[in-house]
Amino acid sequence: MMGAVAFGARRPRVTASDCPYAWVDMPVLDDESMFEVWTCAQPVEREDAGDLVSARNDDVLFGCLQTKLDCRLDAASHRAYSRIFDFIDRRGYAHLLRVWNYFPQINGDADGLERYARFNVGRHEAFAAKGRVIGTHAPAACALGSRGTHLVIYFLAAKQAGQRVENPRQVSAFHYPAQYGPRSPTFARAMLMQTAGKPLLFVSGTASIVGHETLHIGNAPAQARETVANILAVMKQAQLAGLDSSRSRSDLLLKTYLRHPDDLAVVRNCLMQAFGPAANVLYLQADICRSDLLLEVEAVCLNASSPTH
Ligand code: 3EB
């Protein structure tokens, strides 16, 4: 095991003691709690450095950073990302592939700017300060509103760079206009890596955005359909085959974040139609980073190759 992340509204009684572990205070919609577990076939070396716990093999490093929020979000995200970059750079895993960001009151105000926009300022400036070229070095990512008091960031970093993938239907997030905040979010739409000779695709949090604008305000089923279209466009861009949407996708692991638990049935119905019953979907209740977004979906595509008909 490289790492485990527990999702649930209550701290799970079971903890993972022999690998990096974090708890994200976020309700699971159809269960009490759920563990996301990252495994690999190689032996791992574990290193716990205070607030940053990690495990690494010859290729990748999994890390979790949990910090109690005791300053404004721009300072907190700047500090967290600087810490992560220093840590991975020193150990030779300089390439961030995928980052998950969770913190409370993501749509709340912080001195006249939304907390998500503050978060973006600190994150953007840490990337720049640590020598990352925003367009070139952006990882796949997501940023959601959890509960509680902590900023939780977990990530996969690698010795080798992955292949960044953008979505032709969407403006790249790092080119969003300033109406969404003074510093753009630093993420790619997806990241493709090779592991054990097979491609693995991390699709970032994906929502009902075309160009840079939110579509279908107030309409959850329409937002779900637009989100599916965006995920399929990203997968197509990554030249992954098997885009026949009638095929059941046992190679897909999805995490769906819903602002309103009441939308579970319509969204589940939409994802079932798009990806079939074999797709593995976790439904969580979370605030999405734009207040007009009702849902966001992220994906891991396993063995994402060879078309099967
Ligand atoms: C979007 O497309 C929706 O700030 O890291 C998706 C994925 C979103 C990642 C992030 C935000 C992030 O802009 C929000």
Side-chain angles (χ1 to χ4, degrees), residues 38 95-102 139-143 154-157 191 202-205 255 257 298-300:
W38 292 90
H95 303 278
L96 268 186
L97 299 178
R98 181 44 166 120
V99 188
W100 289 260
N101 302 285
Y102 301 105
C142 59
Y154 66 96
F155 60 91
L156 284 162
M191 183 69 75
F202 298 104
V203 178
S204 292
K255 245 152 87 194
Y257 305 92
E298 64 186 48
V300 179

Side-chain angles (χ1 to χ4, degrees), residues 295-306:
L295 60 109
E296 185 171 308
V297 181
E298 64 186 48
V300 179
C301 309
L302 307 165
N303 306 327
S305 59
S306 58

Side-chain angles (χ1 to χ4, degrees), residues 81 98-99 101 106 116 119-120 123 139-144 170-171 173 176 184-189 204-209 212 288-290 293 295-296:
Y81 273 86
R98 181 44 166 120
V99 188
N101 302 285
I106 195 166
Y116 173 61
F119 173 85
N120 279 331
R123 175 172 59 171
C142 59
L144 284 305
Q170 298 183 307
V171 172
Y176 278 170
S184 59
T186 50
F187 72 94
R189 297 300 176 185
S204 292
T206 304
S208 179
I209 295 172
H212 57 75
I288 318 300
C289 66
R290 289 185 188 183
L293 287 173
L295 60 109
E296 185 171 308

Side-chain angles (χ1 to χ4, degrees), residues 88-89 92-97 132 137 156-162:
I88 61 178
D89 284 352
Y93 299 77
H95 303 278
L96 268 186
L97 299 178
R132 267 70 182 181
H137 292 114
L156 284 162
K159 289 181 180 170
Q160 301 285 322

Side-chain angles (χ1 to χ4, degrees), residues 50 56 58 83 96-97 125 177 190 205 208 223 235 239 277 292:
R56 57 188 189 261
D58 285 342
R83 173 112 172 78
L96 268 186
L97 299 178
E125 286 174 0
S208 179
Q223 287 201 9
M235 288 166 65
Q239 296 188 302
D292 53 14

Side-chain angles (χ1 to χ4, degrees), residues 27-30 147 218-221 224 256-270 283-287 294-295:
V28 177
L29 283 174
D30 38 14
R147 300 180 175 187
N219 185 342
T256 300
Y257 305 92
L258 298 181
R259 186 182 291 279
H260 304 302
D262 286 353
D263 292 333
L264 177 60
V266 290
V267 174
R268 180 183 268 151
N269 196 38
C270 175
Y283 291 92
L284 298 159
Q285 198 263 308
D287 290 339
L294 298 172
L295 60 109

